[in-house]
């Protein structure tokens, strides 16, 4: 930019010269366009071409005919989905799991950050941080695998413990009523430390003079947390709550898929896992694409809606 | 006086709660490591609570004798190395032009990329594309579909804008450097911290990924470690592990239980070795991202 301004020194910026300079700017920076072109090609091929493929949701896709030549069927697949036996169950499971995750999983990292912020012993604080961040780096397969061996009805640690207390063995993974709780608790275990980082950073940015002044006025530590720390990180909380609420239906479905089995399906079947089963495993491409589109559109609208509400309510928003 | 006592009470509550949290997170991890070094009969008998009992490395020995696990490990190494290399190159190629304020069209390009964060074709159309491109069951399907991430482009672009003086780049141009030369000679040597962050982000992602492999690979010889882990830990397909042995059924069952713990440890060894770096650099990455996002 500065380079351009040098060029124009002493010249009156006429409209035509502006256009010429824009053109010459592009010409001079042709290498930048060469650089970005593979990335652009990647986005077009792997992200926008599939968007073009969404049309199969409104067609009867036949592999031998391809996407373009398959016959249009309008909203047939949507209609079939809305009237299917699975519809209510899928919607209910998806929303319930998403909300459960927010209600339990969202406040805990905030509490953890507030606690860590109060721990003045640096080494202890570092120690707790190092430990609580660690599970973030474990893969979903590893976390679910650990859950499976700990909850194993015969040899698992949890059931051995229940047995030692004289209780009856619980087959956790096969029980639909346990599924959502296990999902949420393991998620809290894995992510609470990591999610607290952003709040800790926000807490670190709070003016220490506020605390000094409050202390002089005789405010207790709990009152200072309530009246200084919490309002101080409010914008961060609002932004992250928007992101979370906006993606309430876009649950980390890889983990659901891994935890899912025929016995807990009544509680663990969500929209995305159903799309995977009926689309990839059963090859109902058009039907599954329609369900996938339905959920993508809802997610998108939800994000826009939540963002609008947040902007009106508190003046904080994503865009 | 009462204020001081209140303060002490408060401290006790804070430190005990934090200790409790740390304990809850740490215990399962310690247990897995202890169990992996224990004689499986004690695991099954429920006799291990914290430290290994009947110290042995038998479980590890059976892992290294197992072809599927070793091959999975090597496959994952390959996918991680190749994938991360491609990721890094692509991220730099996008981030550098986007960091330049004299790059006409940067907002358009950025918009094209950011839009994909909020909306996409979905599972089925993407799967059909991969199929039509004949990428199923190829090495490329493990690295091409996730060749770059918008998030990392934004982080690196922000770093380029904030940490590398524009005057330096201008001086290079005046000295006759082309844009490519400026990038390679001026910008990249000054960007090692962000390159480290990016490499770690991508590498961890590749190491832990299983879903693309599940979707696009059906040839077991190409499976990454995470899919083998899934077979062993989640689907309980462990016949192959012990089929070769002529031991009694009960002994085989014991061996399987031991292997489950040992394979968990082995799968996370790289993560464990890298953890000090991961923790430091990832936190930095979050901060850069938070400023922007």
């Amino acid at each position: 930019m500065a380079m351009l301004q040098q060029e124009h020194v002493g010249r009156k910026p006429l409209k035509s010269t502006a256009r010429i300079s824009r053109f010459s700017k592009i010409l001079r920076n042709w290498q930048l366009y060469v650089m970005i072109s593979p990335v652009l090609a990647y986005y077009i091929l792997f992200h926008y071409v599939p968007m073009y493929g969404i049309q199969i949701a409104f067609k009867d896709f036949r592999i031998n005919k391809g996407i373009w030549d398959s016959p249009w069927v309008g909203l047939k697949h949507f209609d079939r989905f809305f009237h299917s036996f699975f519809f209510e169950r899928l919607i209910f499971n998806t929303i319930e799991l998403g909300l459960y995750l927010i209600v339990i999983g969202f406040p805990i990292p905030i509490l953890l950050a507030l606690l860590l912020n109060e721990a003045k012993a640096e080494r202890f604080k570092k120690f707790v941080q190092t430990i609580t961040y660690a599970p973030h780096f474990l893969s979903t397969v590893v976390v679910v695998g650990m859950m499976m061996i700990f909850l194993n009805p015969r040899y698992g640690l949890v059931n051995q413990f229940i047995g030692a207390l004289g209780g009856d063995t619980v087959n956790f993974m096969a029980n639909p009523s346990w599924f959502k709780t296990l999902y949420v608790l393991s998620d809290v275990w894995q992510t609470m430390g990591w999610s607290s980082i952003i709040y800790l950073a926000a807490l670190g940015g709070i003016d220490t003079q506020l605390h000094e002044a409050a202390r002089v006025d005789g405010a207790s530590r709990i009152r200072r947390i309530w009246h200084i720390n919490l309002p101080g990180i409010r914008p961060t909380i609002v932004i992250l709550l928007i992101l979370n609420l906006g993606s309430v239906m876009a649950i980390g479905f890889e983990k659901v898929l891994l935890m899912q089995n025929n016995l807990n399906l009544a509680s663990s079947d969500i929209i995305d896992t159903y799309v995977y089963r009926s689309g990839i495993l059963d090859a109902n491409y058009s039907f599954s694409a329609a369900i996938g589109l339905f959920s993508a559109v809802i997610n998108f609208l939800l994000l826009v809606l939540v963002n609008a509400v947040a902007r009106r309510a508190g003046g904080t928003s994503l865009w | 006086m009462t204020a001081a006592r209140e303060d002490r009470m408060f401290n006790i509550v804070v430190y005990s709660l934090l200790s409790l949290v740390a304990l809850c997170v740490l215990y399962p991890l310690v247990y897995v490591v202890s169990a992996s070094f224990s004689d499986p009969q004690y695991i099954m008998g429920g006799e291990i609570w914290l430290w290994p009992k009947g110290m042995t490395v038998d479980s590890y020995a059976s892992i290294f004798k197992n072809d599927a696990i070793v091959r999975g490990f090597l496959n994952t190494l390959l996918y991680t190395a190749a994938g991360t290399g491609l990721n890094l190159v692509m991220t730099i190629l996008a981030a550098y032009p986007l960091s330049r304020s004299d790059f006409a069209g940067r907002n358009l390009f950025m918009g094209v990329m950011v839009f994909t964060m909020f909306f996409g074709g979905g599972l089925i159309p993407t799967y059909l594309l991969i199929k039509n491109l004949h990428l199923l069951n190829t090495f490329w399907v493990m690295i091409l579909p996730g060749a770059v991430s918008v998030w990392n482009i934004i982080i690196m672009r922000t770093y380029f804008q904030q940490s590398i003086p524009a005057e330096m780049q201008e001086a290079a141009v005046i000295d006759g450097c082309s844009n490519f030369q400026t990038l390679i000679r001026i910008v990249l040597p000054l960007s090692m911290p962000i390159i480290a962050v990016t490499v770690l982000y991508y590498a961890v992602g590749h190491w832990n990924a299983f879903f693309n492999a599940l979707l696009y690979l059906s040839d077991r010889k190409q499976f990454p470690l995470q899919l083998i882990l899934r077979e062993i830990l989640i689907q309980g397909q462990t016949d192959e592990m012990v089929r070769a042995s002529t031991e009694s059924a009960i002994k085989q069952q014991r061996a399987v239980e031991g292997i489950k713990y040992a394979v968990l440890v082995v799968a996370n060894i790289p993560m464990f070795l890298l953890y000090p770096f991961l923790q430091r650099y990832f936190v930095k990455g979050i901060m850069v991202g938070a400023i922007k996002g």
Side-chain angles (χ1 to χ4, degrees), chain A residues 31 33 42 48 130 139 160 221, chain B residues 7 104 112 145 179 226 275:
Chain A
Q31 288 189 336
Y33 295 89
Y42 162 78
Y48 286 88
T130 304
S139 73
Q160 284 172 354
R221 281 168 79 179
Chain B
D7 199 53
V112 166
N179 281 320
Q226 298 292 337
Y275 188 55

Side-chain angles (χ1 to χ4, degrees), chain A residues 126-281:
Chain A
K126 271 260 144 44
F127 172 74
V128 175
Q129 283 176 297
T130 304
I131 287 171
T132 51
Y133 295 172
H136 171 81
F137 297 99
L138 301 179
S139 73
T140 318
V141 176
V142 165
V143 172
V144 176
M146 282 174 65
M147 228 190 309
M148 302 280 290
I149 52 181
F150 284 131
L151 298 175
N152 184 301
R154 249 185 304 172
Y155 312 119
L157 188 62
V158 176
N159 273 312
Q160 284 172 354
F161 188 69
I162 293 174
L165 292 181
D168 287 330
T169 298
V170 183
N171 193 353
F172 290 97
M173 298 308 285
N175 190 338
S177 56
W178 272 105
F179 171 80
K180 289 185 177 99
T181 302
L182 291 176
Y183 183 94
V184 170
L185 289 184
S186 60
D187 205 77
V188 167
W189 180 80
Q190 190 177 13
T191 62
M192 66 176 163
W194 197 253
S195 310
S196 72
I197 293 178
I198 196 127
Y199 299 112
L200 265 181
L203 285 167
I206 292 174
D207 191 350
T208 48
Q209 288 186 337
L210 289 174
H211 281 282
E212 298 289 335
R215 197 168 344 182
V216 171
D217 288 347
S220 68
R221 281 168 79 179
I222 293 182
R223 286 182 70 99
R224 295 205 313 263
I225 292 176
W226 186 255
H227 291 290
I228 299 174
N229 285 351
L230 267 182
I233 60 173
R234 215 195 95 167
T236 314
I237 295 177
V238 172
I239 287 264
L240 289 175
L241 192 59
I242 294 174
L243 282 171
N244 277 282
L245 283 174
S247 56
V248 64
M249 285 180 73
I251 308 156
F253 113 92
E254 297 184 358
K255 189 164 151 197
V256 179
L257 194 68
L258 288 171
M259 289 176 67
Q260 195 170 70
N261 55 52
N262 286 331
L263 298 169
N264 65 21
L265 208 55
S267 170
S268 69
D269 206 11
I270 61 171
I271 295 176
D272 289 333
T273 53
Y274 184 68
V275 170
Y276 171 76
R277 270 208 320 281
S278 88
I280 306 292
L281 301 184

Side-chain angles (χ1 to χ4, degrees), chain A residues 138 142 146, chain B residues 28-37 60 63 73 207 225 229 233 258-272:
Chain A
L138 301 179
V142 165
M146 282 174 65
Chain B
L29 301 173
V30 170
Y31 182 86
V32 167
V33 176
S34 291
S36 75
F37 285 107
Y60 289 94
I63 282 184
F73 198 94
W207 189 268
L225 185 61
L229 275 181
L233 295 170
I259 285 174
K260 285 183 178 176
Y261 290 95
V263 81
L264 275 172
V265 175
V266 168
N268 287 298
I269 283 175
M271 223 55 87
F272 179 74

Side-chain angles (χ1 to χ4, degrees), chain B:
Chain B
M1 195 61 208
T2 48
R5 221 174 64 197
E6 205 182 282
D7 199 53
R8 215 170 61 220
M9 276 304 293
F10 188 82
N11 271 335
I12 291 172
V13 172
V14 165
Y15 286 100
S16 0
L17 281 176
L18 284 175
S19 307
L20 189 69
V21 169
L23 200 67
C24 289
V25 176
L26 191 59
Y27 182 65
L29 301 173
V30 170
Y31 182 86
V32 167
V33 176
S34 291
S36 75
F37 285 107
S38 299
D39 187 329
Q41 67 170 354
Y42 297 118
I43 309 175
M44 292 165 82
E47 291 180 47
I48 293 165
W49 293 103
L50 188 60
W51 302 118
K53 205 166 180 186
M55 270 293 251
T56 168
V57 289
D58 284 357
S59 303
Y60 289 94
S62 20
I63 282 184
F64 291 109
K65 272 185 267 168
N66 182 278
D67 289 343
I69 296 177
V70 172
R71 197 168 47 222
F73 198 94
L74 294 176
N75 282 341
T76 295
L77 270 183
L78 176 68
Y79 298 145
T80 302
T84 306
L86 179 71
N87 291 148
L88 181 64
V89 171
M90 292 283 275
T91 307
I92 292 171
L93 286 179
Y96 180 62
L98 292 171
S99 75
R100 290 267 300 261
S101 53
D102 61 334
F103 178 55
R106 61 202 287 244
N107 290 333
L108 174 73
F109 293 133
M110 202 64 223
V112 166
M113 294 175 191
V114 169
F115 182 69
T116 64
M117 289 173 93
F118 299 106
F119 191 77
L123 191 67
I124 305 301
T126 309
Y127 177 81
L128 291 176
L129 170 75
I130 300 287
K131 201 171 165 177
N132 287 336
L133 293 172
H134 301 291
L135 287 174
L136 290 183
N137 282 317
T138 62
F139 161 76
W140 297 105
V141 83
M142 294 306 291
I143 65 171
L144 284 182
V148 69
S149 98
V150 185
W151 186 243
N152 288 327
I153 291 178
I154 292 177
I155 290 177
M156 190 176 276
R157 182 202 63 173
T158 308
Y159 184 91
F160 286 161
Q161 283 171 337
Q162 291 176 351
S163 308
I164 296 169
E167 298 79 26
M168 254 172 105
Q169 297 188 48
E170 282 164 29
V173 171
I174 290 165
D175 288 345
C177 273
S178 70
N179 281 320
F180 266 112
Q181 287 166 328
T182 312
L183 172 63
I184 289 165
R185 294 198 191 148
I186 311 289
V187 176
L188 289 186
L190 291 171
S191 303
M192 284 309 149
I194 198 67
I195 288 175
V197 171
T198 312
V199 164
L200 287 174
Y201 262 118
Y202 283 123
V204 170
H206 282 291
W207 189 268
N208 285 337
F210 85 100
F211 192 60
N212 275 4
L214 179 69
L215 277 180
Y216 305 131
L217 297 181
S218 51
D219 176 9
R220 234 171 137 255
K221 285 203 164 62
Q222 294 178 309
F223 277 9
L225 185 61
Q226 298 292 337
L227 274 194
I228 304 290
L229 275 181
R230 171 173 172 264
E231 288 180 350
I232 297 173
L233 295 170
I234 299 174
Q235 300 180 313
Q237 295 174 9
T238 42
D239 301 347
E240 186 191 304
M241 322 248 109
V242 286
R243 198 191 297 138
S245 70
T246 49
E247 306 280 3
S248 63
I250 182 79
K251 277 196 170 169
Q252 289 188 3
Q253 182 59 42
R254 276 186 198 157
V256 165
E257 286 303 308
I259 285 174
K260 285 183 178 176
Y261 290 95
V263 81
L264 275 172
V265 175
V266 168
N268 287 298
I269 283 175
M271 223 55 87
F272 179 74
L273 295 178
L274 283 175
Y275 188 55
F277 302 97
L278 288 175
Q279 201 192 342
R280 188 148 45 101
Y281 283 118
F282 268 60
V283 171
K284 263 188 200 162
I286 285 194
M287 296 312 166
V288 179
I291 292 164
K292 206 54 214 167

